Amino acid sequence: MFLFFAADSRFTQQELPACKPILTPGWVITTFICVGILFIPIGLACLFASEHVVEIVDRYDYDCVPSHYRNDSILFIQDSKTNKTCTRSLTVTKQMKSPVFIYYQLDNFYQNHRRYVKSRSDKQLRSKSHEGDTVSCKPEAVTANGAPIVPCGLIAWSLFNDTYSFSVKNKGLDVSKKDIAWKSDQDHKFGSDVYPKNFQNGSLIGGAKLNSSIPLSEQLDLMVWMRTAALPNFRKLYGKIEVDLHPDDVITVIIENNYNTYGFGGKKKLVLSTTSWIGGKNSFLGRAYITVGGLCLFLAVTFILVYVIKPRPLGDPSYLSWNRNPATRGN
């Protein structure tokens, strides 16, 4: 069905009723003041909440390489016979109320690369009936015998495989994996009838292996990893410690340093963090609100001075085209 409009209709002449505010100095100054008064308290509240987040960051990729391998870290990480276990000690500086979130942070890892992001099959992840849908997964699509790899693609193949265990005063701390992945991923994107198959069976192992007896809908670490990061430096949730950590507690961390970031100059960090009502530690949001609010107040004061010192007469709004009588516009 097609709609035709006359050449002189109100629609074609753009004369339909519309909101056409007149930005007088009073309206502009008032708007800037209101935005400034609103944004600055919000920014201060965000900064206050961020400052109360307790965070411990420990870079371990360099120190967890034995001194005689420091000049050839790649050989160390690729050799299956070397001992990858590393022990680190972290000191709690302030009270950390549960849950304490555990993140692993990777730097200089470009998960946003176009070919990397496309190397996956959402249909295969969702349903067993699409097990053979591996066209978009190259080069990790099928085995040498042509059997499909489940889950296929470079994203799953490069799954992070460092592991952490924690203890305080020789008492182990349980790491909970509950709710670390999005509920929508568990319910809709990863099928309960899809099991790992032919995964990491090639000559070149990319990362962690998966238990073939557990469906993808329960592989929480995989779900977290499959949500690719937009920036080259990112954190992903590893688990949660559901007990309080007290000041001066010394946390002993046993790390299995398996993941190869040495080949591309990457960095690995372990992060323990509490949260606030705005999430983790993030001063950018508060500073952004304060900056915008301050800029608006500065512009408001500037416009007030200009308006008082060197005022200009306002035009008569009745002469605006949309306020004039259509019959007299041609005169």
Side-chain angles (χ1 to χ4, degrees):
M1 180 178 180
F2 298 94
L3 297 177
F4 295 93
F5 299 95
D8 58 349
S9 68
R10 298 186 68 187
F11 178 82
T12 57
Q13 296 301 318
Q14 299 184 19
E15 294 178 349
L16 293 175
C19 177
K20 300 173 181 178
I22 300 173
L23 298 179
T24 62
W27 273 108
V28 173
I29 292 170
T30 302
T31 301
F32 277 128
I33 291 175
C34 290
V35 172
I37 292 175
L38 180 64
F39 273 36
I40 289 178
I42 294 176
L44 291 174
C46 292
L47 276 180
F48 181 79
S50 178
E51 288 300 317
H52 279 72
V53 172
V54 183
E55 190 175 89
I56 302 173
V57 181
D58 179 54
R59 180 184 173 184
Y60 63 89
D61 58 290
Y62 180 79
D63 292 334
C64 283
V65 176
S67 57
H68 56 281
Y69 277 106
R70 293 280 169 81
N71 294 328
D72 199 348
S73 301
I74 298 177
L75 175 62
F76 164 77
I77 204 71
Q78 291 181 345
D79 190 348
S80 60
K81 297 179 181 179
T82 55
N83 182 14
K84 306 296 195 302
T85 303
C86 176
T87 301
R88 307 283 290 171
S89 294
L90 309 177
T91 302
V92 180
T93 56
K94 296 180 181 179
Q95 178 82 8
M96 301 182 75
K97 294 185 177 180
S98 65
V100 178
F101 293 89
I102 307 166
Y103 301 91
Y104 55 89
Q105 178 175 325
L106 297 179
D107 293 356
N108 199 35
F109 190 113
Y110 288 82
Q111 270 199 321
N112 58 356
H113 192 283
R114 183 177 63 87
R115 290 190 64 187
Y116 182 87
V117 172
K118 290 176 64 177
S119 186
R120 61 184 292 164
S121 173
D122 290 319
K123 290 183 178 180
Q124 186 201 62
L125 296 172
R126 189 164 47 242
S127 173
K128 185 179 180 180
S129 60
H130 292 91
E131 184 179 278
D133 190 342
T134 61
V135 177
S136 60
C137 292
K138 295 179 180 179
E140 291 295 320
V142 296
T143 64
N145 299 326
I149 298 173
V150 182
C152 66
L154 289 174
I155 304 177
W157 177 77
S158 60
L159 176 61
F160 187 77
N161 62 342
D162 282 6
T163 60
Y164 314 107
S165 60
F166 303 85
S167 62
V168 175
K169 298 177 181 178
N170 296 322
K171 182 180 178 181
L173 298 176
D174 293 332
V175 177
S176 172
K177 297 284 187 178
K178 183 180 179 182
D179 297 331
I180 66 171
W182 288 28
K183 191 175 186 300
S184 59
D185 287 354
Q186 290 183 264
D187 295 342
H188 305 293
K189 291 190 175 182
F190 292 78
S192 58
D193 62 341
V194 183
Y195 291 82
K197 186 177 180 181
N198 301 317
F199 186 68
Q200 301 288 22
N201 287 343
S203 58
L204 185 61
I205 304 300
K209 295 187 177 182
L210 299 175
N211 190 333
S212 59
S213 63
I214 299 177
L216 296 189
S217 60
E218 298 178 19
Q219 304 272 7
L220 300 181
D221 289 321
L222 175 67
M223 295 181 200
V224 172
W225 181 257
M226 294 289 284
R227 281 200 165 269
T228 53
L231 299 174
N233 302 338
F234 59 86
R235 294 177 180 179
K236 289 184 180 290
L237 187 58
Y238 179 85
K240 295 178 287 185
I241 298 174
E242 297 185 329
V243 296
D244 293 349
L245 299 176
H246 307 287
D248 298 325
D249 279 351
V250 177
I251 306 172
T252 301
V253 188
I254 299 177
I255 302 173
E256 284 294 327
N257 182 27
N258 300 312
Y259 202 69
N260 185 6
T261 57
Y262 307 98
F264 55 88
K267 300 177 183 177
K268 293 188 290 188
K269 298 175 183 178
L270 172 63
V271 181
L272 302 182
S273 177
T274 59
T275 58
S276 66
W277 60 271
I278 61 169
K281 197 174 190 66
N282 181 8
S283 60
F284 172 79
L285 186 62
R287 290 174 181 174
Y289 270 107
I290 292 174
T291 301
V292 173
L295 181 62
C296 288
L297 290 181
F298 172 77
L299 290 175
V301 172
T302 302
F303 288 159
I304 290 173
L305 293 176
V306 171
Y307 185 64
V308 171
I309 295 172
K310 197 174 182 180
R312 295 178 60 187
L314 297 177
D316 187 351
S318 63
Y319 284 95
L320 295 172
S321 61
W322 55 83
N323 289 333
R324 295 173 61 189
N325 190 329
T328 64
R329 289 181 185 177
N331 298 332

